[in-house]
Amino acid sequence: MNRNRLILIFGYFLLNLVFGTGCWDSRELDELAIISGIGVDKEGDKFNLSFQIINPTGLKGGEGGGNQGSGGGGTETFVVAQSTGRTIFDAVENVRNQIERIPFFSHNEVIVLGRQLAEEGIYPGVDFFLRSPQPRPTQWVLIGSEKAGDILRPKAEMEDTSARALKLLVDFGRQSWVPAINLEEVNAAMTQKRGAYLIPIVRVQGDKGKLFLDGSAAVMKRDKMVGEVNPGESRGLKWMKGEIRNAVVVSELPNQQGLVSTRIFLNRGSIKVNLTPEGIPRVNVYVYVEGEIEDMSGKFNLTSTPGMDLVKKQVALAIKKEIQSAFQKARSLNADFINIGRILYQNHPQVWEDMEHKWDEIFPEIRAHVTVGVSIWRVGEVSKPAISE
Amino acid sequence: MILFYGMLIYSALREMPRYIKRKDWRGGGIFAFFWLTALAISIYMSLGFKRPLLNRIIYNFIKEMFPFITKLS
Amino acid sequence: MKLEKGRIGLKGTVLIMIGYIYGSTAILSPGVGVGQDAWVAQTIGLGLALIVVWVNTLLLARFPGQTFIEINERVFGPYAGKFISLLFLWYIFHLGSIVLIDHLDFVRLMIIPLTPAEVVVFLGILPCIYAAYKGLEVIVRTGQVLVVFTLLYFGLITLFQVQSYDFANFKPFLVTPFPKLAWAGLTAASFPYLETVVFLMILPFLNQQNKVRVAVYLGLFFGGLVVIWSIMRLILVLGDTAVNYVYPSYYAVRIINIAELLNRFEILAAMNYIMIGFLKVTVLLYAAGLGWAQLCKCQDYRPLLLPLGALMALVSLNNFEHVVGNFEFTTQVYSIYALPFSAGLPFLVLVGAWVRGLPGKVKNK
């Protein structure tokens, strides 16, 4: 009896081993093409997909830093394969015609969308990645300044793959300029009927092909690109959301006393939408930052409270300018990437119901009142500049 | 489907002698009823007919009876 | 002639009730259709269910130690009683097949998409049959472990998701029109709370029969809390995009990413869904097997489990044409289909017992 039971249990595990790990779904590591970055382009009515595939034999591993990759004779650390298809999945299947392994998306780091696609609507380009269980919803989404395929080609100098480098650039940049957005957030933002959102733009610079990610970003309405913001404007948005973790604010001191740069390491922000008695929405933005002075060019004497107050005031002014510029851009593009509509809906659902259909007319009229509070705790090791009078 | 056939054959080989030994005809009857129904469905499915889609029938029936559901959900 | 000799404790019963209620709610996340008010709908559903199960507790208090099938037979006599029992058994059998395919569809969609459904369902039903074969005590003992594990997982995920909570997602509060909200509440009451009607087959084996009411209410209440919190968590993390996903709670686990270190928890979630599905299917299969055996006065319920389990698996394969049909069924017509069984039948039997003055006062105790 006992032995019978053992045989039964053993048989069940055996069945699971055979079927559960899958005659149908088993993928061994050496059959997979691990994709580290994807570029989606649109050419005419076809999609052009670029896959950046990790080449395991080209990776250096932990061999004492022996760098063969850049030696010229060594193998590449990644290869880029391209394929076209009428849909994304069509293209994914077509790439099997040229690479001998099964594309594996779980370790993908970034999706780069070509500019052409962004202008025509990104949803057809990202739907596959949302639908398939393999790609991560937390991978970054970027927009390429030109063709997405070209972004994935240049070699990274310090990382194994340029997709990895791109991911690290975003990870760092999102602390200040870059309005980083991942796949799940893109999907969430696309559901907003009247809202807009930003996707960072990545470009390739120089003849050697260096990836470059400043804060400039594409303004998207639903799934179409309607304009572009510069780094200051996208950081203006990030101040309001309280997303800044490590940013430099360069502010001018009055009377040509020079420049002072402040590192901001803490940021809180809130956007309140009130209604005037006439029923017009009015935006109040409160931003609070904390930072320290890192560098000052000039003779300004900091050893007094009024001096510090002046610096604080100038920092607040600089931040305020960025925030107002973000509002200015949003108004001129008529794209509500600050999501005032959503805040209005959350707090005054009845008012929003009346306004929703004419939001495009109301939004450019909205004025914002910005309040910035600044605390500066440290001034570094210098209290009185040597050349000050 | 072959797995289900195996399961059914196993259960028959295992239980039928016991039922006969105990003369538990009522239990044997209900056992045979389930067994035959399961076998019938297995054969039906392995012959590759269109699946009957039980819940689709219930769904359509209730939708006809209570048309207000579409508005509410 | 007793078919089940096992006795179960209060704690274990409450725990498996919690697991049973959380069961397929973990996957399907009902009520996300009403957006940020889904948790209100769930609360309404729980409130309704707490009122309705009063009937079940009264019924069990009138006939201590007897299962629903035996009660039916005593109240309505052999023929009408058998008919009502058949309806009840059909419901739990069908519910079992629905739950089975809910969970295994998930496995198929997210983990092993290329494996044929037959194989997955076969491997899924086998341990359920085995556990049901081992009897009630084993089910409850296994269930305890699995539910404790589930609750631990639940707490862990709650903790890990804290960074993506956005409390603004709850606003605006209560903008859903009332009929819609009431309908969502009714749906929530029937799925998952009133599915606990199957415990009419299990609670009679509680070792302290005077504690039946306590068990029902504790199980329902804490199970409800778990479900409501899981829905609230979903709204906090995903907001109104929850409707965009097939398995929103799984998606909410996928986006956990803490400092690039704590991420990719979805396989934990998937394991959890499989475990809790196993528990739910086992309870339903056991109740169906025991019920049939009692209905036909067999000497043993266990031989029935293999063909019944096979039948359940086969019916589950024939339930829906695709996963979309499953969602349509669950959100739109399931409550109307299920309420006559899960709330109507016990009520009918209670009224019958009350009219006929059963059980006679002499026989009691």
Side-chain angles (χ1 to χ4, degrees):
Chain A
M1 182 65 212
N2 220 346
R3 175 177 291 179
N4 275 346
R5 191 188 304 168
L6 260 179
I7 291 170
L8 264 179
I9 293 171
F10 184 72
Y12 180 69
F13 279 119
L14 208 68
L15 271 177
N16 256 324
L17 263 180
V18 173
F19 296 116
T21 59
C23 278
W24 290 274
D25 288 285
S26 78
R27 309 251 170 83
E28 301 300 332
L29 194 57
D30 56 357
E31 299 167 356
L32 297 178
I34 299 169
I35 290 168
S36 62
I38 297 172
V40 187
D41 278 309
K42 194 146 188 207
E43 280 167 358
D45 55 350
K46 287 206 166 172
F47 289 99
N48 188 352
L49 235 65
S50 315
F51 301 88
Q52 191 183 82
I53 301 161
I54 297 176
N55 180 12
T57 48
L59 294 183
K60 294 179 283 286
E63 293 162 19
N67 191 348
Q68 342 146 304
S70 59
T75 40
E76 301 281 339
T77 51
F78 62 84
V79 289
V80 176
Q82 280 187 320
S83 67
T84 43
R86 291 175 61 206
T87 62
I88 297 295
F89 188 60
D90 192 19
V92 169
E93 287 298 297
N94 282 344
V95 84
R96 295 289 307 273
N97 300 343
Q98 25 171 322
I99 58 169
E100 60 279 18
R101 296 184 172 192
I102 307 164
F104 185 67
F105 292 98
S106 272
H107 294 279
N108 191 26
E109 316 249 28
V110 286
I111 295 179
V112 183
L113 305 169
R115 191 167 176 123
Q116 181 76 20
L117 179 76
E119 275 159 8
E120 287 173 26
I122 58 169
Y123 191 75
V126 296
D127 182 85
F128 169 73
F129 304 107
L130 287 162
R131 208 175 277 275
S132 161
Q134 271 184 14
R136 320 287 316 165
T138 47
Q139 55 193 322
W140 298 123
V141 178
L142 298 168
I143 284 184
S145 59
E146 296 298 326
K147 279 224 174 310
D150 300 340
I151 307 290
L152 295 175
R153 259 182 226 289
K155 249 203 245 159
E157 266 131 30
M158 279 170 269
E159 294 302 319
D160 288 331
T161 63
S162 61
R164 176 85 191 155
L166 207 48
K167 175 185 183 285
L168 293 174
L169 277 179
V170 179
D171 279 346
F172 176 73
R174 68 197 272 243
Q175 297 179 349
S176 71
W177 300 98
V178 179
I181 190 163
N182 66 30
L183 192 55
E184 185 266 331
E185 288 161 352
V186 168
N187 191 35
M190 277 191 292
T191 58
Q192 303 299 321
K193 286 194 188 69
R194 306 281 163 186
Y197 55 100
L198 303 179
I199 301 181
I201 292 179
V202 57
R203 35 176 67 90
V204 179
Q205 266 196 344
D207 45 343
K208 267 193 80 183
K210 187 94 188 71
L211 290 172
F212 185 74
L213 188 78
D214 62 351
S216 57
V219 182
M220 312 290 294
K221 242 179 161 175
R222 288 319 278 274
D223 69 338
K224 288 192 177 58
M225 179 171 171
V226 294
E228 210 174 307
V229 293
N230 65 31
E233 287 152 0
S234 60
R235 195 163 77 168
L237 174 68
K238 286 175 72 83
W239 288 121
M240 286 188 265
K241 287 183 172 172
E243 282 176 355
I244 305 283
R245 291 290 167 271
N246 180 6
V248 176
V249 175
V250 180
S251 45
E252 263 174 60
L253 293 173
N255 309 329
Q256 268 91 46
Q257 290 187 86
L259 298 171
V260 58
S261 40
T262 324
R263 181 206 293 278
I264 304 295
F265 48 77
L266 190 145
N267 170 213
R268 305 250 178 280
S270 76
I271 307 168
K272 295 256 182 317
V273 183
N274 299 325
L275 292 167
T276 56
E278 298 87 54
I280 299 160
R282 201 186 147 68
V283 180
N284 282 307
V285 180
Y286 303 95
V287 173
Y288 171 73
V289 296
E290 279 180 18
E292 58 192 32
I293 293 174
E294 292 282 327
D295 151 293
M296 190 164 66
S297 66
K299 307 169 184 172
F300 190 69
N301 190 349
L302 266 181
T303 49
S304 67
T305 309
M308 287 300 282
D309 283 347
L310 186 70
V311 173
K312 281 191 208 168
K313 208 178 114 201
Q314 296 304 318
V315 171
L317 263 180
I319 292 173
K320 214 186 242 182
K321 225 162 100 188
E322 282 181 0
I323 293 175
Q324 287 293 7
S325 76
F327 266 102
Q328 190 60 42
K329 191 53 153 263
R331 278 195 290 264
S332 70
L333 290 172
N334 201 354
D336 177 14
F337 58 75
I338 306 147
N339 269 332
I340 292 165
R342 186 168 163 75
I343 295 165
L344 195 61
Y345 165 67
Q346 281 173 343
N347 294 305
H348 307 277
Q350 281 86 20
V351 178
W352 175 248
E353 219 165 90
D354 301 334
M355 282 186 183
E356 192 181 355
H357 59 281
K358 49 184 181 184
W359 186 242
D360 283 348
E361 287 109 67
I362 295 172
F363 180 69
E365 304 302 317
I366 289 177
R367 291 289 169 269
H369 184 255
V370 182
T371 319
V372 180
V374 182
S375 285
I376 292 178
W377 296 107
R378 287 174 288 272
V379 295
E381 294 222 36
V382 176
S383 62
K384 187 165 179 250
I387 57 168
S388 70
E389 272 99 57
Chain B
M1 287 324 295
I2 197 137
L3 294 168
F4 282 103
Y5 289 125
M7 187 162 151
L8 287 173
I9 290 166
Y10 170 76
S11 73
L13 289 179
R14 186 188 155 104
E15 302 299 343
M16 283 318 257
R18 295 190 193 180
Y19 275 122
I20 292 167
K21 207 166 154 193
R22 275 204 310 248
K23 297 200 167 56
D24 181 4
W25 302 122
R26 221 198 289 258
I30 195 73
F31 175 84
F33 169 67
F34 285 141
W35 196 87
L36 288 172
T37 320
L39 188 70
I41 297 180
S42 302
I43 292 172
Y44 182 84
M45 280 173 71
S46 50
L47 287 180
F49 286 117
K50 198 171 173 289
R51 294 184 177 176
L53 301 176
L54 182 65
N55 286 21
R56 196 78 209 165
I57 300 161
I58 299 170
Y59 177 80
N60 289 339
F61 177 72
I62 294 181
K63 269 300 243 287
E64 296 257 307
M65 299 282 286
F66 306 94
F68 64 91
I69 298 168
T70 324
K71 255 181 281 166
L72 288 172
S73 47
Chain C
M1 180 179 61
K2 268 285 178 207
L3 287 169
E4 173 63 59
K5 294 180 193 70
R7 286 285 172 273
I8 53 179
L10 181 67
K11 197 173 65 186
T13 315
V14 171
L15 275 175
I16 61 166
M17 264 183 102
I18 293 172
Y20 180 87
I21 290 169
Y22 181 53
S24 25
T25 330
I27 292 187
L28 291 178
S29 309
V32 288
V34 288
Q36 70 279 38
D37 291 331
W39 67 277
V40 184
Q42 286 290 328
T43 317
I44 294 174
L46 179 60
L48 281 175
L50 286 173
I51 299 166
V52 174
V53 292
W54 185 250
V55 173
N56 298 3
T57 61
L58 283 179
L59 201 60
L60 285 168
R62 261 176 182 257
F63 301 91
Q66 282 179 303
T67 66
F68 192 58
I69 308 294
E70 292 166 323
I71 297 172
N72 276 340
E73 196 124 0
R74 277 195 67 192
V75 173
F76 291 110
Y79 295 107
K82 273 206 169 61
F83 179 67
I84 290 177
S85 299
L86 270 177
L87 287 180
F88 180 73
L89 288 173
W90 163 252
Y91 172 65
I92 52 180
F93 172 76
H94 191 203
L95 180 61
S97 76
I98 294 175
V99 172
L100 187 67
I101 204 65
D102 280 351
H103 285 260
L104 297 177
D105 255 353
F106 168 79
V107 172
R108 283 230 319 128
L109 233 79
M110 287 298 164
I111 305 168
I112 39 178
L114 297 177
T115 310
E118 286 86 1
V119 176
V120 178
V121 167
F122 178 78
L123 289 175
I125 194 79
L126 270 190
C128 301
I129 295 175
Y130 184 67
Y133 195 88
K134 286 288 154 195
L136 189 56
E137 284 188 8
V138 173
I139 296 175
V140 172
R141 254 182 274 143
T142 326
Q144 276 178 5
V145 179
L146 296 184
V147 172
V148 166
F149 192 81
T150 301
L151 293 178
L152 278 178
Y153 150 84
F154 195 77
L156 199 74
I157 294 299
T158 303
L159 217 73
F160 285 162
Q161 281 178 336
V162 165
Q163 62 159 8
S164 33
Y165 286 174
D166 181 5
F167 284 92
N169 283 342
F170 280 131
K171 292 197 280 184
F173 178 63
L174 275 186
V175 284
T176 320
F178 181 73
K180 235 179 147 170
L181 196 66
W183 171 254
L186 195 70
T187 310
S190 63
F191 168 67
Y193 303 117
L194 285 181
E195 285 177 359
T196 50
V197 72
V198 69
F199 281 79
L200 283 175
M201 298 295 297
I202 287 166
L203 285 168
F205 303 111
L206 197 65
N207 55 9
Q208 301 152 291
Q209 275 300 306
N210 51 343
K211 291 257 175 73
V212 164
R213 186 165 295 164
V214 181
V216 169
Y217 275 98
L218 276 182
L220 202 59
F221 183 70
F222 284 108
L225 280 191
V226 171
V227 171
I228 290 169
W229 174 240
S230 76
I231 297 285
M232 283 172 100
R233 213 180 52 185
L234 210 59
I235 299 168
L236 281 172
V237 175
L238 290 178
D240 39 10
T241 52
V243 278
N244 292 9
Y245 301 112
V246 177
Y247 299 117
S249 54
Y250 184 69
Y251 209 83
V253 175
R254 286 186 80 193
I255 61 177
I256 294 177
N257 184 5
I258 301 170
E260 297 285 313
L261 186 70
L262 299 170
N263 54 13
R264 310 197 178 200
F265 278 105
E266 65 257 30
I267 205 65
L268 204 65
M271 264 168 60
N272 209 273
Y273 298 160
I274 295 168
M275 281 179 351
I276 209 91
F278 155 77
L279 179 64
K280 197 164 178 176
V281 175
T282 306
V283 168
L284 286 163
L285 181 64
Y286 169 79
L290 183 70
W292 273 104
Q294 285 185 337
L295 186 74
C296 304
K297 305 229 167 28
C298 304
Q299 290 166 12
D300 196 357
Y301 74 93
R302 286 180 299 183
L304 294 180
L305 289 172
L306 260 174
L308 195 63
L311 205 58
M312 200 182 252
L314 291 167
V315 169
S316 81
L317 287 171
N318 291 311
N319 269 337
F320 307 106
E321 46 193 328
H322 38 54
V323 71
V324 178
N326 186 345
F327 286 103
E328 275 180 340
F329 182 81
T330 312
T331 54
Q332 296 187 12
V333 305
Y334 176 74
S335 55
I336 289 185
Y337 169 62
L339 278 177
F341 295 108
S342 57
L345 287 183
F347 187 68
L348 186 71
V349 176
L350 184 70
V351 169
W354 180 68
V355 168
R356 293 194 54 194
L358 281 170
K361 284 184 182 69
V362 199
K363 213 197 152 200
N364 226 355
K365 276 160 200 160

